[in-house]
Amino acid sequence: DAGVIQSPRHEVTEMGQEVTLRCKPISGHDYLFWYRQTMMRGLELLIYFNNNVPIDDSGMPEDRFSAKMPNASFSTLKIQPSEPRDSAVYFCASSFTGPNTEAFFGQGTRLTVV
Amino acid sequence: DQQVKQNSPSLSVQEGRISILNCDYTNSMFDYFLWYKKYPAEGPTFLISISSIKDKNEDGRFTVFLNKSAKHLSLHIVPSQPGDSAVYFCAARVNQGAQKLVFGQGTRLTINP
């Protein structure tokens, strides 16, 4: 298995532009998570899905952020409009239901908003 | 509200010595704890875990200790090797049904030759 695949790896955009981050989870995993890494808060959970349904989006910072999972093999995180403070590394992770299972992470998307 | 805290942003250890990374948590409902390791420009990778019903789990050079009464978790690496230099994240799961992991801020470990 190729693991969790994220694209793009790097994104540089101007303030006010729409940004879309993409994720393909590991096949067979029924949970998908979006995290944001910052120096102050480490890995923050933004939103997660179970069987393509959003379960908890309490970590989404503002209405400018939205996430979708149209099918079991694809998810997007969109920021519209983007702001410089959104600059961070965004990770997607997936896991499967089980008593003691870990989440597998993608390589992340480094977003820079100028 | 930071439910999982790693109070040491960085740690420097001599090669061959023991590295001890610490983590504190506030939510008594956490039932499963994990450590992840992260190299630059890569995603975090799973290292070792422990269930709340245990107090120790060992895997080679890595041992995780859980003190539930103190709400404290630690990762011991012995002996430390240069390849262990990375950022280490502590994580906790609220309950089995949710599968939601809450992470700490991370500790940057540097192993000096």
Side-chain angles (χ1 to χ4, degrees):
Chain A
D1 197 319
V4 176
I5 299 173
Q6 291 186 246
S7 64
R9 290 294 309 277
H10 302 274
E11 177 78 43
V12 180
T13 190
E14 290 185 348
M15 182 174 62
Q17 296 297 306
E18 177 180 298
V19 175
T20 299
L21 311 182
R22 297 172 175 78
C23 175
K24 175 179 168 53
I26 292 173
S27 178
H29 283 188
D30 55 348
Y31 280 88
L32 184 138
F33 308 86
W34 282 101
Y35 285 89
R36 178 171 68 176
Q37 183 185 6
T38 62
M39 289 294 291
M40 291 300 295
R41 300 180 66 84
L43 284 165
E44 288 180 276
L45 177 64
L46 301 177
I47 185 172
Y48 76 99
F49 297 81
N50 179 220
N51 291 321
N52 314 337
V53 176
I55 302 301
D56 182 352
D57 65 353
S58 59
M60 297 286 259
E62 299 172 32
D63 291 345
R64 298 184 296 105
F65 286 70
S66 62
K68 293 182 180 179
M69 192 165 186
N71 57 63
S73 59
F74 184 66
S75 176
T76 59
L77 177 68
K78 184 180 293 186
I79 308 173
Q80 164 66 15
S82 57
E83 296 182 3
R85 60 192 166 122
D86 301 332
S87 298
V89 181
Y90 292 80
F91 289 102
C92 175
S94 69
S95 70
F96 59 87
T97 301
N100 295 317
T101 59
E102 70 268 24
F104 294 81
F105 282 77
Q107 291 189 296
T109 295
R110 179 172 294 276
L111 173 66
T112 303
V113 183
V114 298
Chain B
D1 177 29
Q2 197 76 15
Q3 297 185 65
V4 178
K5 292 184 180 181
Q6 294 176 255
N7 292 316
S8 298
S10 62
L11 176 67
S12 186
V13 174
Q14 205 72 20
E15 181 179 359
R17 300 289 186 107
I18 184 170
S19 294
I20 300 176
L21 295 97
N22 294 302
C23 177
D24 296 298
Y25 62 94
T26 58
N27 191 339
S28 58
M29 297 302 291
F30 287 144
D31 68 344
Y32 188 55
F33 302 87
L34 308 88
W35 284 95
Y36 279 78
K37 179 178 180 179
K38 185 185 179 304
Y39 292 119
E42 294 184 10
T45 55
F46 170 73
L47 188 57
I48 191 170
S49 63
I50 187 168
S51 167
S52 60
I53 62 174
K54 296 185 176 181
D55 56 17
K56 177 183 175 181
N57 187 28
E58 191 172 351
D59 184 3
R61 297 186 298 112
F62 303 91
T63 303
V64 56
F65 294 93
L66 176 61
N67 183 333
K68 287 183 65 178
S69 61
K71 293 190 175 67
H72 180 79
L73 191 70
S74 63
L75 173 68
H76 292 209
I77 306 173
V78 56
S80 301
Q81 299 174 354
D84 296 330
S85 296
V87 176
Y88 289 79
F89 289 97
C90 170
R93 187 182 66 191
V94 174
N95 61 64
Q96 178 182 332
Q99 297 286 341
K100 168 181 171 179
L101 293 180
V102 179
F103 282 82
Q105 306 95 312
T107 296
R108 180 177 300 279
L109 175 65
T110 302
I111 306 302
N112 301 308

